[in-house]
Amino acid sequence: MKKVFFTMAMMMLTICSWAQLRNPIIPGYHPDPSVCRVGDDFYLVNSSFHYFPGVPIYHSKDLVNWELIGNVLDRESQLPLKGANSWLGIYAPTIRYHDGTYYMITTNVGNGGNFMVTAKDPRGPWSEPMWLEQQGIDPSLWFENGKCYMVSNPDNTIMLCEIDVKTGKQLTPSKALWRGTGGRYPEGPHLYKKDGWYYLLISEGGTELAHKLTIARSKNIYGPYVGNPKNPILTNCNMLGQSMQIQGTGHGDFVQAKDGSWWVTFLAYRNFGGSYHHLGRETYLAPVEWKAGQWPVVNGGNPIDTLMQVKTLPEVKMPELPKEYAFDKPLGPEWVYIQNPDSTRYDISFNRLRLYGSTSTLTKNERPTFVGRRQEGADFLMESFVDFRESYSGDEAGLTVYQINDGHAEICLEGHREKMRVCFKATLKDLSGTFASVDIDGYEAWLRVRSDGNQYFYEYSFDGKKYKTLFKISCTLLSTETVGGFTGVVAGMYCTKKVKEDLTYANFSAFRFENK
């Protein structure tokens, strides 16, 4: 009997033991998370702005370990991005599940406004867009009693209307619900119902240092809504959180696990080298105590840290993204392009990725020939063997660390096969040019970019073993605070040409991408 009691006690201790929650749960450029649970599974989506495909979708069993299973918007018909930059494109999405169907609602800023797509399987395929009448940004859905309600924030006011879930047609006039507590940019609304109350969660303060989550509630979905006297319910912009590496906490979404526990996913960023962040706004997790009839309390009212002792769900590991690419199959969902790509410029065959040069540069931002991945770790390495024999004077191909179209830095091969050099180039707002170069014999080299979280090192090699550093820069120069943008660093390969009629291409092989 003692043995049985001891075994049961140990099982309970294992299930309910305090664990170390490491934040962020999805690092790197993964802003504006929205989450839903279906049975034992959690699904989460993020903003994607001017990158294609759009709205990455993740799967988890425990809210801590996540696997990228695809992108919701993977066709140009779903995601027109003409002229978009990192201030435009896809803003905060919401994912919901109702009656056998998954719904994703979002805003395409600059190319259409609010729309909704649906799927029977979160891995896709997802439908063509249903365009919506109520505008504002950050739309969300609430299903109840056979009706579908939409909330968004036109005119800095959280507005509610009923829509036809099959067509997107607006069925009722927009009704003002709440303007928040007075912080600027009341946005990111989500509705929940618990213990007879409708709860309206929003973010305020702008997605910067003063970002925060606030909440109001009402007995009627149309209001009036009364704010929590203890708002904000989440912020690191206070005395308790001011010394944390994590800042800008806000834009969250509640989810209840199968065991009854409540959680909130939200965005924040990590500072490096002072008050600078270059990895973008990331996805974080915190526990929520939500007693019957009372207001939710996030993380016991404490600020969010990179390591927190909390009661987590039983751990379920997920597959990790590849670190090495042989280019022997199509690129996975982790790869993104700037705007809608011209598919004729990308070819995978013979264990190499061939990029055909475009006269549009990274700075011009007109569908440049570029493909990359989100940098997800402060310690980071990207390298590739580059063969640039099909090139002319003024052409270039290489590796770039890209924050925004006027904030990027690269190491590249430049010139003609008979006169080639390795260059470090950068565009940092009004500062642009070639800052270091070395002439080489031939038309091929290993190129590498690595970072320790404080600096980027741009390096080259002729054997893939012995590297020389051509240039190094501070990560702060590619931060949001320095060059702007709503995203975070995306690192990858590119190819440009000077003359439109020239057939310019570069072959990339033995590609490696590591985040630590």
Side-chain angles (χ1 to χ4, degrees), residues 20 27 59 63 66 75 94 108 149 209 229 270 280 317 350 501:
Q20 195 173 68
H59 170 240
L63 287 171
W66 294 87
R75 305 187 297 278
T94 294
N108 188 339
Y149 299 91
L209 187 65
R270 288 177 289 168
K317 290 288 189 179
F350 306 106
E501 289 73 24

Side-chain angles (χ1 to χ4, degrees), residues 85-255:
N85 57 28
S86 73
W87 304 103
L88 301 175
I90 297 296
Y91 277 38
T94 294
I95 186 169
R96 293 292 183 257
Y97 175 81
H98 176 70
D99 197 22
T101 299
Y102 293 86
Y103 297 82
M104 192 284 296
I105 184 172
T106 188
T107 312
N108 188 339
V109 178
N111 281 283
N114 289 332
F115 68 95
M116 178 171 64
V117 293
T118 63
K120 293 298 183 180
D121 185 334
R123 291 167 175 79
W126 290 76
S127 71
E128 291 298 301
M130 290 182 278
W131 297 97
L132 305 167
E133 297 173 52
Q134 181 171 289
Q135 291 303 298
I137 59 170
D138 307 350
S140 184
L141 299 172
W142 173 256
F143 295 90
E144 185 175 21
N145 297 329
K147 296 182 178 181
C148 178
Y149 299 91
M150 169 187 170
V151 284
S152 60
N153 77 331
D155 301 319
N156 283 319
T157 302
I158 308 304
M159 307 283 278
L160 172 81
C161 68
E162 185 184 341
I163 65 172
D164 185 327
V165 75
K166 293 183 179 180
T167 66
K169 180 178 175 58
Q170 185 166 330
L171 302 178
T172 62
S174 298
K175 163 73 173 176
L177 299 186
W178 197 41
R179 294 180 62 90
T181 63
R184 65 176 183 166
Y185 307 134
E187 57 194 17
H190 293 301
L191 278 169
Y192 314 89
K193 190 174 184 181
K194 186 177 183 296
D195 309 319
W197 290 95
Y198 292 93
Y199 288 87
L200 177 59
L201 179 71
I202 72 168
S203 58
E204 300 183 52
T207 182
E208 304 154 353
L209 187 65
H211 211 30
K212 57 188 175 184
L213 282 178
T214 58
I215 195 167
R217 68 182 184 181
S218 172
K219 286 288 188 177
N220 189 307
I221 194 170
Y222 287 102
Y225 284 82
V226 177
N228 182 352
K230 294 185 178 180
N231 275 326
I233 62 170
L234 172 67
T235 186
N236 270 24
C237 189
N238 53 27
M239 291 291 287
L240 291 175
Q242 63 181 344
S243 63
M244 301 294 187
Q245 183 189 22
I246 295 171
Q247 294 297 325
T249 55
H251 200 111
D253 195 5
F254 290 131
V255 67

Side-chain angles (χ1 to χ4, degrees), residues 9 67 128 226 259 263 266 320 434 452 457 486 493 496 513:
E67 178 189 9
E128 291 298 301
V226 177
D259 67 358
W263 301 84
F266 56 97
E320 296 182 354
T434 300
D452 59 4
F457 300 86
F486 266 1
M493 300 162 279
T496 67
F513 196 103

